[in-house]
């Protein structure tokens, strides 16, 4: 009662009106009996009523749709509620009960957040647009930094691949160097991307370099950069190296076993000193880079043969992760095949939904020397060959569908006869592949060459060689 008496004081009411009237937001204050004690000019204009006609009246007399009695009963605020007033206007409102020290309602405070629901919807749309734009630029930033794969791109449910992913996720949480071991086509690069994306460096660059693809004489300038005039043909202004580009991020050294011994020594210095020297430079440059290295070679054996530095081996082999070959996780072939069918169908624009049980059985007994990458290539070829929405045995390469070959092999008595027999098998497979492709393209050599990924002149040579009828 004491607080109600205070609010009824004319001096205080006038003071509150002076405070709230200039505010361009509709505001109302009601007492515990839901009688209007204060309402500012903005709210009066919104309702189209005079202040003196509303003060002292119960709020439901002004707005029959009011929810203040319910708010008082529950003693809980309603924030950002959609409300339709008696005059037909729809708005977003706050209703807040004010309690005393004993938990009793003494006042109710109301505020119209948006006087027009369209205004609210417009702001929501703008916020959604800003959020979409923010997400878009986050994705673009990731792409620009070089990292684009995550754990979702590593497909498999076998025990081997699950354990490997679990170990890789633990490696991602540390800042230690990682060594990825595995045969070609097992997905070492996917793991490198995923580890970087889940690490604390994920907002910084992910730089890739294939040590086998760059001539040894150029590798140093690629890794460490050079100063202007460092050598004949050097670019004006010099060139920044991969390690500088990867600063605060991750550098992925693929095929590290192919790195020359001289470069291995310089890489070791970078790991120890955390600094690089540009070719022709006079000062060292500090870098903070995490290394993820990968190879399909036995590094330990190369160390024993003095073809790889032992000290570098132990520097990069902090978190070693062995990625299993496909033949050791045959149970994943079904889910991998389904994934590749969806992916490749979208890329090719030819929708193939399934593989027959017979074809899938053959895929599961094949030894897959090219691993997951070979499986993807086989399925891409099959999608191009099929005329239906499924893949059957006839769409698989002959070395999978008929592993014994059509020609009975003669007993191998010496190395020369073995080589000749192997060459015949390869030529036979090639001949059948070209014949099937030409049949699929109905003799269209241009399309056949594109599907087989060879030049048209090369295709003509093969057609002539095998005397194929078109």
């Amino acid at each position: 009662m004491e607080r109600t008496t205070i609010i009824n004081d004319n001096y205080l009411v006038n003071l509150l009106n002076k405070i709230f009237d200039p505010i361009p937001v509709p505001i109302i204050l009601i007492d515990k009996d839901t009688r209007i004690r204060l309402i500012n000019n903005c709210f009066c204009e919104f309702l189209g009523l005079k202040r003196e006609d509303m003060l002292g009246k119960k709020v439901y007399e002004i707005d029959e749709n009011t929810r203040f009695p319910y708010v008082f009963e529950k003693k809980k605020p309603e924030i950002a509620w959609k409300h339709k007033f008696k005059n037909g206007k729809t708005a977003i409102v706050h209703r807040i009960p004010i309690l005393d020290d004993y938990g009793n309602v003494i006042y109710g405070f109301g505020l119209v957040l948006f006087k027009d629901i369209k205004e609210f919807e417009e702001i929501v749309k703008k916020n959604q647009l800003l959020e979409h734009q923010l997400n878009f630029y986050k994705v673009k930033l990731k792409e620009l930094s070089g990292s684009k794969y995550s754990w979702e791109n590593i497909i498999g449910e076998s025990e081997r691949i699950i354990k490997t992913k679990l170990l890789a996720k633990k490696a991602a949480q540390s800042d230690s160097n990682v060594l990825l071991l595995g045969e070609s086509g097992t997905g070492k690069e996917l793991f490198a991307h995923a580890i970087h994306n889940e690490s604390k460096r994920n907002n910084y660059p992910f730089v890739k370099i294939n040590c086998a693809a760059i001539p040894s004489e150029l590798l140093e300038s690629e890794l460490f950069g050079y100063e202007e005039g460092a050598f004949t043909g050097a670019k004006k202004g010099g060139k920044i190296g991969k390690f500088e580009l990867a600063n605060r991020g991750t550098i992925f050294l693929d095929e590290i076993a192919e790195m020359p011994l001289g470069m291995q020594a310089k890489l070791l210095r970078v790991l120890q000193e955390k600094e690089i020297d540009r070719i022709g430079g006079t000062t060292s440059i500090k870098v903070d880079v995490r290394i993820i290295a990968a190879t399909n070679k036995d590094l330990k054996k190369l160390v024993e043969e003095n073809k790889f530095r032992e000290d570098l081996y132990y520097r990069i082999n902090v978190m070693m992760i062995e990625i299993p070959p496909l033949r050791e996780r045959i149970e994943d072939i079904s889910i991998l095949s389904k994934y590749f069918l969806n992916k490749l169908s979208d890329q090719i624009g030819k929708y193939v939904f399934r593989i027959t049980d017979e074809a899938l059985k053959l895929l599961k007994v094949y030894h897959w020397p090219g691993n997951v990458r070979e499986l993807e290539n086989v399925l891409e070829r099959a999608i191009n060959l099929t005329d239906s929405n499924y893949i059957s045995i006839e769409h698989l390469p002959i070395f999978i569908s008929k592993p014994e070959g059509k020609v009975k092999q003669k007993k191998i008595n010496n190395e020369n006869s073995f080589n000749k027999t192997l060459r015949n098998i390869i030529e036979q497979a090639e001949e059948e592949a070209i014949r099937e492709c030409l049949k699929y393209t109905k003799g269209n050599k241009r399309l056949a060459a594109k599907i087989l990924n060879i030049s048209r002149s090369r295709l003509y040579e093969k057609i002539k060689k095998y005397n194929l009828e078109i």
Side-chain angles (χ1 to χ4, degrees):
M1 289 299 296
E2 182 181 354
R3 289 179 183 257
T4 304
T5 303
I6 291 174
I7 201 66
N8 282 330
D9 183 88
N10 289 333
Y11 171 77
L12 184 56
V13 170
N14 290 333
L15 179 61
L16 291 175
N17 283 333
K18 286 181 180 180
I19 294 172
F20 290 115
D21 274 345
I23 298 175
V25 176
I27 294 172
I28 190 172
L29 188 70
I30 63 174
D31 63 20
K32 64 180 181 179
D33 297 320
T34 73
R35 294 185 182 277
I36 300 172
R37 294 302 176 189
L38 184 147
I39 186 167
N40 69 349
N41 281 334
C42 189
F43 213 155
C44 294
E45 292 172 1
F46 177 73
L47 296 174
L49 299 171
K50 294 180 180 180
R51 193 197 316 256
E52 54 267 26
D53 293 336
M54 292 185 282
L55 289 174
K57 290 186 177 180
K58 290 200 171 186
V59 70
Y60 69 82
E61 296 181 52
I62 305 301
D63 179 19
E64 58 189 17
N65 298 322
T66 183
R67 287 178 54 85
F68 263 114
Y70 179 82
V71 169
F72 282 7
E73 181 183 347
K74 295 296 180 181
K75 299 180 181 180
K76 290 184 179 181
E78 293 182 343
I79 304 298
W81 277 61
K82 182 179 177 181
H83 182 75
K84 188 173 183 178
F85 288 89
K86 190 175 181 179
N87 60 7
K89 292 182 179 180
T90 303
I92 302 297
V93 304
H94 293 341
R95 305 182 189 93
I96 303 170
I98 300 172
L99 310 179
D100 63 15
D101 295 338
Y102 304 100
N104 300 312
V105 174
I106 52 176
Y107 294 114
F109 179 76
L111 182 148
V112 176
L113 190 60
F114 295 100
K115 292 182 283 185
D116 188 340
I117 194 67
K118 291 181 180 179
E119 179 187 358
F120 173 69
E121 291 173 349
E122 188 66 27
I123 288 176
V124 169
K125 287 179 182 178
K126 286 181 179 178
N127 284 338
Q128 288 175 339
L129 179 61
L130 287 172
E131 187 176 348
H132 289 317
Q133 288 176 336
L134 180 60
N135 290 334
F136 172 79
Y137 288 118
K138 280 182 178 178
V139 171
K140 286 298 178 185
L141 181 61
K142 287 282 187 184
E143 291 177 357
L144 288 172
S145 70
S147 180
K148 55 185 177 180
Y149 301 117
S150 61
W151 303 117
E152 288 72 25
N153 298 109
I154 302 172
I155 309 301
E157 296 176 350
S158 63
E159 185 179 355
R160 285 292 304 277
I161 201 66
I162 288 174
K163 285 184 176 179
T164 305
K165 286 173 72 172
L166 181 61
L167 179 59
K169 287 180 179 180
K170 288 183 178 179
Q173 299 307 312
S174 76
D175 205 34
S176 301
N177 295 325
V178 178
L179 177 61
L180 300 173
L181 300 178
E183 298 175 7
S184 294
T186 50
K188 296 187 290 295
E189 185 172 342
L190 291 181
F191 273 89
H193 281 258
I195 290 170
H196 170 78
N197 268 333
E198 192 151 314
S199 74
K200 63 183 181 181
R201 297 175 178 265
N202 65 349
N203 289 321
Y204 295 97
F206 177 81
V207 178
K208 302 171 290 182
I209 188 163
N210 189 314
C211 300
I214 300 173
S216 57
E217 62 272 15
L218 299 179
L219 189 56
E220 183 176 0
S221 64
E222 281 293 317
L223 289 176
F224 307 134
Y226 56 80
E227 298 290 352
E228 182 177 347
F231 50 82
T232 303
K235 289 182 180 179
K236 186 177 181 179
K239 179 185 175 183
I240 190 171
K242 301 295 187 186
F243 269 89
E244 284 184 79
L245 287 173
N247 192 37
R248 301 182 71 184
T250 303
I251 190 165
F252 175 47
L253 299 176
D254 199 9
E255 305 293 351
I256 195 171
E258 307 301 324
M259 182 178 285
L261 285 170
M263 276 304 304
Q264 291 179 28
K266 292 179 180 180
L267 176 60
L268 181 64
R269 179 180 177 276
V270 175
L271 292 173
Q272 290 173 335
E273 307 297 332
K274 297 190 181 299
E275 60 184 27
I276 58 105
D277 293 321
R278 287 186 179 181
I279 298 175
T282 56
T283 57
S284 297
I285 301 170
K286 288 288 184 181
V287 290
D288 173 21
V289 177
R290 181 194 200 182
I291 288 180
I292 300 178
T295 182
N296 57 6
K297 301 287 181 66
D298 185 346
L299 281 188
K300 202 166 185 179
K301 184 178 180 182
L302 292 178
V303 168
E304 293 171 357
E305 296 172 352
N306 294 320
K307 294 180 180 178
F308 197 87
R309 291 183 64 102
E310 184 176 18
D311 44 9
L312 178 59
Y313 171 70
Y314 289 113
R315 277 282 182 178
I316 62 174
N317 188 21
V318 179
M319 294 290 293
M320 185 181 71
I321 300 170
E322 294 188 63
I323 303 170
L326 185 55
R327 63 182 173 276
E328 293 181 9
R329 54 184 188 109
I330 293 299
E331 57 267 48
D332 285 332
I333 285 181
S334 296
I335 188 172
L336 279 166
S337 298
K338 184 177 180 181
Y339 170 79
F340 285 133
L341 284 186
N342 291 332
K343 173 187 170 183
L344 295 168
S345 292
D346 287 339
Q347 289 178 359
I348 298 171
K350 183 178 178 182
Y351 295 98
V352 178
F353 302 104
R354 66 182 183 90
I355 303 174
T356 64
D357 292 340
E358 294 78 11
L360 192 59
K361 285 179 182 177
L362 286 175
L363 294 181
K364 289 183 176 180
V365 298
Y366 181 60
H367 60 288
W368 298 110
N371 293 292
V372 178
R373 187 185 296 126
E374 184 183 9
L375 174 61
E376 182 176 7
N377 291 342
V378 165
L379 292 175
E380 182 174 358
R381 173 187 182 274
I383 290 173
N384 281 311
L385 291 178
T386 185
D387 291 321
S388 57
N389 61 1
Y390 63 89
I391 292 171
S392 60
I393 293 177
E394 63 179 345
H395 305 125
L396 299 178
I398 191 169
F399 56 83
I400 294 178
S401 62
K402 298 178 181 178
E404 298 299 324
K406 287 185 177 180
V407 181
K408 291 183 180 179
Q409 291 194 16
K410 297 178 180 179
K411 290 184 179 180
I412 301 171
N413 299 318
N414 54 56
E415 186 178 348
N416 291 334
S417 63
F418 173 78
N419 288 337
K420 184 177 179 182
T421 303
L422 179 61
R423 185 165 56 251
N424 288 341
I425 293 172
I426 293 171
E427 288 178 348
Q428 183 184 1
E430 185 178 62
E431 178 184 349
E432 183 160 335
I434 294 172
R435 181 182 286 108
E436 287 181 2
C437 193
L438 288 170
K439 181 180 177 182
Y440 169 72
T441 63
K442 298 178 181 179
N444 187 327
K445 300 182 190 66
R446 182 189 62 78
L447 181 58
K450 184 177 179 182
I451 292 173
L452 294 168
N453 197 23
I454 60 175
S455 65
R456 270 193 283 179
S457 60
R458 186 70 173 155
L459 178 62
Y460 283 120
E461 290 175 6
K462 299 290 184 183
I463 291 173
K464 184 178 180 180
K465 177 181 177 180
Y466 298 123
N467 194 27
L468 295 174
E469 295 182 3
I470 311 304

